[in-house]
Amino acid sequence: MTAAGEDLERTFQVGQRALELMKTYGSSASPRSYEVWYTYVTGQKPVINDAIKRIAAQSGHVRDDDVVTLFEEHLAPQRFAQEAEKAGATVIGEIDEVMEMLEMALGSTAKYGESLEAFSNDLAITIDKRRIRELVAALVTATKDVGATNKTLEARLRETRGEIEVLRETLEAVRIESLTDPLTGIANRKHFEEMLVKTLDQAIVERAPLALIVIDIDHFKRFNDTYGHLTGDQVLRLVGMTMREQVKTKATLARFGGEEFGIILPDTTVETARAAAERVRTSVMSRELVKRSTGESLGKVTISVGCAGVRKGDTAVSLLERADQCMFTAKRAGRNRTVCDTDDDFSGAQETPQAEVA
C-alpha cells in the first residue's frame, strides 16, 4: 500500500472510531459532534481529551450541550484570528501606498538623472552665457522638483512607520490576549496545549526531564453555589496569583479548565516538581478568603495536586492523563494534598473513557 493509501486508510479508521464513540456516549451525528470526537481520537488537543474524560466519568454520557461547550471552548474559530487578519490587511495597504510613493520617487530621480546628463552634454558644446544661464535655471528647477518629491516621500514614510508600529503593537497585544486567561492573567488552554506539546518534544529530543503539575480547587462548586460566581472568580485569581508567586523557574503556568490549572516544568524531575507543588498548595491553604463587599471571612481554600514526570513513549495526552490521575488520587485520599506518579499509593488506573491516540 502506498503512503497516500495508508494515510487514507488511517483517516477512515479515525473517522470510524469517532462515529463509534459518538454512538457509545450519546452524541448526535452532527458535523460539530464529529469534529469534537475526531479530534479526541487523534489526540491532537490533549485538553479536549481530558475534558471529555471528565464529562464521561461524571455522567457516562457526552450530550449535545456538552459537545457545544467543547466545540466552542476548544475548536471554534477565535476572534483573535479575525483581528490579526484585519491588522494584516491594513499593513498590506500601507505597504502598497509606500511602494507607489517609491515608484514615483524613482521615476522622478530617473528624470532628474536624464536632465543632468542633458545639461552635461549641452554644457560641453556651448560657451554662450545666455544658454548656460538657461541650463542652470532648468537644473535648479529639476533639483527643486526632486527635492519636493523626496520630502513628500520622507514625510509619508515617517507617517507610515508610525502607523505600522501601532499595528505591530496591536498585533502583539492580540497575540498575548489570545494566549492569556483574562481572569487570572496566566496562560489559557490554547497556550497550555501548545507549550505541552512543544516542551515534551524538546524533552524527548534532548533526553531531558520534564514534569507536569495539575491542580484542581477543592469544593469549588460550593464556593460558587454558596457565595456566587464573583467569589468563585476571586478563588480562581487567588490560585493563579499564588502560582506566579511560588513558581519562579522557567515554567508555563496556565488555567486550562474551569477550576483546573497546570504547570509545565521543563528540565525538572518529579521530586523537584513535588516541592513546587507543595509550595503552591501550602501557600493557597495559608490564605484566608474574605468577601470584598462585606469583609466576611469565607474560610480557607484548598487544592488537590497531581504531578507526573515524562516517561519513555509518552505523548502530551498520556502525560496529562497521568498527572490528572494523580490529582484524582489526591481527591480520593481526602483532598488538600499532592500525589505524584512515583508514589506507592498511585495506582495509575485509567479514567473512563480510555485514551484514544490513533
Side-chain angles (χ1 to χ4, degrees), residues 264-311:
I264 304 171
L265 293 161
D267 298 314
T268 304
T269 64
V270 173
E271 288 308 309
T272 302
R274 183 201 300 273
E278 280 294 281
R279 288 198 304 272
V280 174
R281 186 186 66 82
T282 55
S283 181
V284 169
M285 182 179 60
S286 69
R287 305 186 185 205
E288 184 177 8
L289 194 65
V290 177
K291 192 171 184 179
R292 291 178 176 175
S293 58
T294 63
E296 172 190 3
S297 174
L298 306 181
K300 303 286 187 180
V301 178
T302 64
I303 57 176
S304 295
V305 188
C307 177
V310 66
R311 297 176 180 176

Side-chain angles (χ1 to χ4, degrees), residues 151-162:
K151 187 173 293 184
T152 301
L153 176 61
E154 182 182 353
R156 184 67 184 108
L157 286 173
R158 190 179 296 110
E159 180 183 346
T160 299
R161 179 181 178 182

Side-chain angles (χ1 to χ4, degrees), residues 77-261:
Q78 301 295 319
R79 64 182 177 85
F80 304 113
Q82 297 174 353
E83 293 181 19
E85 183 179 354
K86 180 180 178 182
T90 305
V91 170
I92 292 173
E94 290 291 334
I95 291 174
D96 286 343
E97 288 188 21
V98 171
M99 291 303 295
E100 290 179 5
M101 292 293 297
L102 286 174
E103 288 177 4
M104 185 190 305
L106 288 173
S108 176
T109 301
K111 185 177 179 181
Y112 183 60
E114 293 173 359
S115 298
L116 286 177
E117 185 177 0
F119 172 76
S120 177
N121 292 334
D122 287 347
L123 194 61
I125 62 176
T126 185
I127 57 173
D128 183 77
K129 292 183 179 180
R130 183 181 63 80
R131 180 56 181 160
I132 291 175
R133 283 198 296 270
E134 291 175 353
L135 291 173
V136 171
L139 181 61
V140 169
T141 300
T143 302
K144 287 182 179 179
D145 290 342
V146 169
T149 301
N150 288 342
K151 187 173 293 184
T152 301
L153 176 61
E154 182 182 353
R156 184 67 184 108
L157 286 173
R158 190 179 296 110
E159 180 183 346
T160 299
R161 179 181 178 182
E163 292 172 355
I164 291 179
E165 180 62 24
V166 170
L167 287 169
R168 187 194 66 78
E169 293 174 357
T170 300
L171 285 171
E172 179 65 12
V174 169
R175 187 190 71 82
I176 293 173
E177 184 181 358
S178 72
L179 302 176
T180 303
D181 174 55
L183 183 63
T184 61
I186 57 179
N188 61 11
R189 176 190 295 109
K190 176 184 176 183
H191 191 43
F192 175 77
E193 286 185 326
E194 291 175 351
M195 289 304 297
L196 182 59
V197 172
K198 178 180 178 180
T199 310
L200 176 60
D201 289 346
Q202 185 176 354
I204 292 173
V205 170
E206 298 178 356
R207 298 183 179 181
L210 168 68
L212 174 63
I213 295 172
V214 170
I215 296 171
D216 189 270
I217 301 172
D218 296 330
H219 304 295
F220 181 71
K221 188 175 183 298
R222 186 186 67 188
F223 280 102
N224 275 336
D225 293 345
T226 305
Y227 302 109
H229 289 285
L230 291 179
T231 299
D233 289 348
Q234 188 178 344
V235 173
L236 294 171
R237 282 191 288 266
L238 169 66
V239 174
M241 178 183 68
T242 305
M243 289 166 59
R244 286 196 300 269
E245 291 175 351
Q246 298 300 324
V247 182
K248 300 296 187 182
T249 58
K250 186 179 180 181
T252 299
L253 313 177
R255 177 189 172 207
F256 64 84
E259 65 269 26
E260 302 146 8
F261 296 80

Side-chain angles (χ1 to χ4, degrees), residues 46-56 70 74 189 260:
V47 176
I48 201 173
N49 287 51
D50 192 58
I52 289 175
K53 291 176 190 299
R54 288 173 179 267
I55 294 170
L70 289 165
H74 297 268
R189 176 190 295 109
E260 302 146 8

